[in-house]
């Protein structure tokens, strides 16, 4: 995900960036942050169409944050605008540009993670939930829900469903080349050779992940604690969906 941060207070902008990066790191997700300190600096960028989320101060020195939000929408109509301000009285104006959320700076530590969670949850429902596999000039769409796990085998990736040890398909590729959208929709890399759909995990223990169809996969020892923590956090949020 690409996130744009604009605040004329450099110290506060850095604090926002740190919270954003920590949030995505805890979830094992990639994020690209760009920090600007004025509306003019922001609008001078040539890559504004890349950003899915903009975290904007309302009371900027030389440009009103609401005006900035309107201009960002012209470059990227689907961008999610979140206003972060020290002043509650600006909140009604923020919603004139269909802002996703309005956060008071004093509440940043507790409200920003909740806001980012809500954004991810909404995008989860808008993102096409299929894995596109291109092989031998053919293209196959596999629904995420049909995939239990993906396992690399030399230069191939085997994609498995609910029938244990019988691949749904195999294709040439690497786990590092899997689309980011897969991981944003509940998949977790558990070792050098396996990515699993957390929806189908029965348990993670003793350096093993057990899936609902009985398949057991080894979990990286170096990353075991973080992998288990990521799964338990995901389960707490979405496990009953």
């Amino acid at each position: 995900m690409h996130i744009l941060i604009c605040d004329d207070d450099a110290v506060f902008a850095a604090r926002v960036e740190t919270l954003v990066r920590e949030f995505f790191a805890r979830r094992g997700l990639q994020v690209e942050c760009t920090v600007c300190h004025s509306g003019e600096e922001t609008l001078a960028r040539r890559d504004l169409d890349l950003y899915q989320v903009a975290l904007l101060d309302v009371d900027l020195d030389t440009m009103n944050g609401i005006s900035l939000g309107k201009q960002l929408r012209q470059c990227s109509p689907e961008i999610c605008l979140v206003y972060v301000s020290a002043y509650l009285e600006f909140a009604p104006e923020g919603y004139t540009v269909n802002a996703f959320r309005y956060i008071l700076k004093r509440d940043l530590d507790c409200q920003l993670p909740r806001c980012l969670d809500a954004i991810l949850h909404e995008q989860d429902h808008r993102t096409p939930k299929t894995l596109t596999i291109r092989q031998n000039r053919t293209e196959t769409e596999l629904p995420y829900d049909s995939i239990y796990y993906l396992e690399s085998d030399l230069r191939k990736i085997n994609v498995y469903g609910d029938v244990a040890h019988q691949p749904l398909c195999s294709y040439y590729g690497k786990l590092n080349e899997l689309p980011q959208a897969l991981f944003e929709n509940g998949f977790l890399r558990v070792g050098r050779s396996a990515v699993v759909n957390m929806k189908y995990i029965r348990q993670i223990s003793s350096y093993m992940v057990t899936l609902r169809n009985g398949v057991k996969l080894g979990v990286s020892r170096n990353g075991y604690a973080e992998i288990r923590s990521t799964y338990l956090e995901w389960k707490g949020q979405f496990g009953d969906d």
Side-chain angles (χ1 to χ4, degrees):
M1 179 176 286
H2 289 75
I3 294 182
L4 179 67
I5 299 166
C6 183
D7 196 300
D8 50 24
D9 181 338
V11 174
F12 187 82
R15 179 181 164 199
V16 174
E17 181 184 12
T18 297
L19 288 172
V20 169
R21 292 190 182 279
E22 289 176 348
F23 172 89
F24 282 91
R26 286 195 299 270
R27 287 154 180 77
L29 302 176
Q30 294 182 351
V31 65
E32 296 290 336
C33 291
T34 298
V35 178
C36 298
H37 299 116
S38 71
E40 291 80 3
E41 180 187 356
T42 301
L43 295 175
R45 298 192 61 85
R46 298 182 178 181
D47 58 355
L48 292 178
D49 58 324
L50 288 178
Y51 297 96
Q52 293 104 338
V53 179
L55 302 171
L56 309 176
D57 188 10
V58 180
D59 191 24
L60 295 167
D61 279 343
T62 59
M63 179 182 294
N64 181 280
I66 306 303
S67 174
L68 175 59
K70 290 178 180 178
Q71 294 181 69
L72 287 176
R73 281 217 184 280
Q74 294 175 4
C75 301
S76 181
E78 298 300 320
I79 194 168
C80 178
L81 299 175
V82 176
Y83 285 102
V84 184
S85 176
Y87 306 103
L88 184 60
E89 56 264 32
F90 286 125
E93 190 177 2
Y95 290 110
T96 64
V97 290
N98 195 27
F100 182 81
R101 196 70 59 89
Y102 190 97
I103 299 173
L104 287 175
K105 289 188 175 183
R106 69 188 185 206
D107 299 329
L108 184 72
D109 289 355
C110 65
Q111 291 300 325
L112 183 56
R114 294 177 185 175
C115 176
L116 294 174
D117 263 331
I119 290 171
L120 288 181
H121 191 64
E122 180 168 297
Q123 289 197 344
D124 176 62
H125 286 81
R126 288 191 301 176
T127 303
K129 297 182 180 181
T130 59
L131 175 65
T132 302
I133 297 172
R134 297 177 179 87
Q135 186 81 350
N136 298 325
R137 298 183 180 180
T138 63
E139 192 171 279
T140 303
E141 298 283 346
L142 281 180
Y144 289 167
D145 283 349
S146 71
I147 302 172
Y148 273 55
Y149 69 103
L150 305 95
E151 190 170 39
S152 64
D153 181 14
L154 297 177
R155 291 181 297 164
K156 280 190 174 183
I157 294 179
N158 297 318
V159 185
Y160 294 91
D162 60 348
V163 179
H165 310 300
Q166 293 187 20
L168 296 171
C169 67
S170 300
Y171 67 97
Y172 287 102
K174 300 177 181 178
L175 294 184
N176 290 337
E177 298 171 349
L178 290 172
Q180 181 61 26
L182 198 69
F183 299 97
E184 293 174 354
N185 283 275
F187 283 74
L188 175 66
R189 187 159 185 171
V190 296
R192 294 181 60 186
S193 61
V195 170
V196 303
N197 189 340
M198 289 190 280
K199 180 176 181 178
Y200 298 122
I201 292 178
R202 181 177 295 162
Q203 67 175 5
I204 296 180
S205 63
S206 303
Y207 301 103
M208 297 290 293
V209 56
T210 303
L211 303 180
R212 293 185 186 179
N213 61 358
V215 169
K216 294 178 182 275
L217 301 167
V219 178
S220 168
R221 287 183 174 269
N222 290 336
Y224 179 77
E226 183 176 353
I227 289 168
R228 192 168 187 274
S229 175
T230 299
Y231 166 63
L232 292 175
E233 186 170 356
W234 177 91
K235 184 179 179 182
Q237 294 178 40
F238 308 113
D240 294 330
D241 285 2

